[in-house]
Amino acid sequence: EIVLTQSPGTLSLSPGERATLSCRASQSVSSSYLAWYQQRPGQSPRLLIYGASIRATGIPDRFSGSGSGTDFTLTISRLEPEDFAVYYCQQYGTSPRYSFGQGTKLEIK
Amino acid sequence: EVQLVESGGGLVQPGGSLRLSCAASGFTFTDYALNWIRQVPGKGLEWISFISGVRHTTYYADSVKGRFAISRDNAKNSVFLQMNNLRVEDTAVYYCARDVSDYIGGAYSLIRFDPWGQGTLVTVSS
């Protein structure tokens, strides 16, 4: 079973700053099978990034994904007020078929 | 517009049963697999079940295997989650999500969940 560990648990930043969120896998994960989601308070999760670095439709270019193997990163270049939310990484594997990281909460400093 | 709408949540006693539904619209239903994911209020996301589009191949998380059953009715563009022998720890918001992938080089790749429904709350309590 592949375990995804996200860090930090909580990230406190100000609008306009750069955010760097980490997702580390316990075993190597194909970049093709790594996705990121955003969940705003009271809302359902929304796809941000798939294939480790491909922005989903309608996602602003301030969001970018990178990484390979066991280390993946979600970067938000200049934080907007609507970006303060919880972010989850997800991988497709074998057993279980899918798993999520525990999430990183991005809060306003 | 691609849309998923869950229903069927509510309050049930431990040991009871509940059937969730997810109605899909805006896309060719049989072309896609669907998933159920749950979230304990204030906690993270847990994938619990998958069903493929045509062959109805199913997969489950260990936490629900043997108690939950996923199914779909392609004529009604709906997927279901039959939950039996419910436990207090099954209390969560249950989301359905479309399973999207690209067929590249003879294999499914770039797998992601898009979109998600709004969720339905299941509370297991006496």
Side-chain angles (χ1 to χ4, degrees):
Chain A
E1 177 184 353
I2 295 179
V3 176
L4 299 178
T5 301
Q6 293 185 239
S7 61
T10 302
L11 185 58
S12 300
L13 294 170
S14 301
E17 290 193 293
R18 180 185 186 92
T20 303
L21 287 66
S22 173
C23 176
R24 178 161 292 178
S26 59
Q27 302 172 46
S28 184
V29 172
S30 169
S31 297
S32 298
Y33 300 147
L34 196 288
W36 289 92
Y37 300 86
Q38 176 194 65
Q39 187 176 31
R40 292 169 174 158
Q43 295 187 13
S44 307
R46 175 176 74 140
L47 175 68
L48 288 179
I49 300 284
Y50 63 97
S53 62
I54 302 171
R55 274 189 304 276
T57 302
I59 301 303
D61 61 8
R62 64 180 181 273
F63 290 91
S64 63
S66 63
S68 64
T70 60
D71 290 295
F72 298 89
T73 301
L74 174 69
T75 301
I76 310 171
S77 59
R78 296 171 311 279
L79 286 166
E80 297 287 343
E82 62 268 27
D83 299 337
F84 292 92
V86 181
Y87 293 84
Y88 296 95
C89 57
Q90 176 212 25
Q91 67 91 28
Y92 161 77
T94 50
S95 183
R97 183 174 181 88
Y98 296 106
S99 60
F100 292 92
Q102 82 280 14
T104 289
K105 181 180 181 180
L106 180 54
E107 64 176 23
I108 298 178
K109 187 174 182 180
Chain B
E1 179 192 5
V2 176
Q3 194 171 15
L4 299 170
V5 179
E6 302 93 336
S7 60
L11 175 64
V12 61
Q13 292 188 338
S17 298
L18 209 56
R19 187 188 194 218
L20 305 184
S21 300
C22 172
S25 60
F27 62 98
T28 302
F29 189 66
T30 51
D31 284 351
Y32 293 90
L34 276 294
N35 295 275
W36 285 97
I37 304 100
R38 67 184 180 184
Q39 184 174 37
V40 174
K43 302 298 183 183
L45 301 169
E46 179 190 15
W47 169 83
I48 57 172
S49 190
F50 163 100
I51 186 166
S52 65
V54 175
R55 296 185 180 181
H56 296 195
T57 302
T58 59
Y59 296 95
Y60 298 92
D62 287 345
S63 58
V64 305
K65 199 175 294 182
R67 299 187 300 122
F68 290 11
I70 191 172
S71 62
R72 63 189 293 162
D73 184 337
N74 287 343
K76 295 183 178 179
N77 284 7
S78 294
V79 64
F80 308 99
L81 188 68
Q82 178 66 43
M83 303 186 295
N84 299 326
N85 191 19
L86 282 160
R87 304 167 180 167
V88 171
E89 54 267 33
D90 294 320
T91 295
V93 175
Y94 285 73
Y95 297 101
C96 64
R98 189 177 66 164
D99 194 294
V100 183
S101 59
D102 296 359
Y103 197 68
I104 302 172
Y108 289 99
S109 186
L110 302 179
I111 297 173
R112 64 271 192 194
F113 291 176
D114 184 39
W116 297 55
Q118 86 289 350
T120 187
L121 176 63
V122 172
T123 303
V124 185
S125 175
S126 55

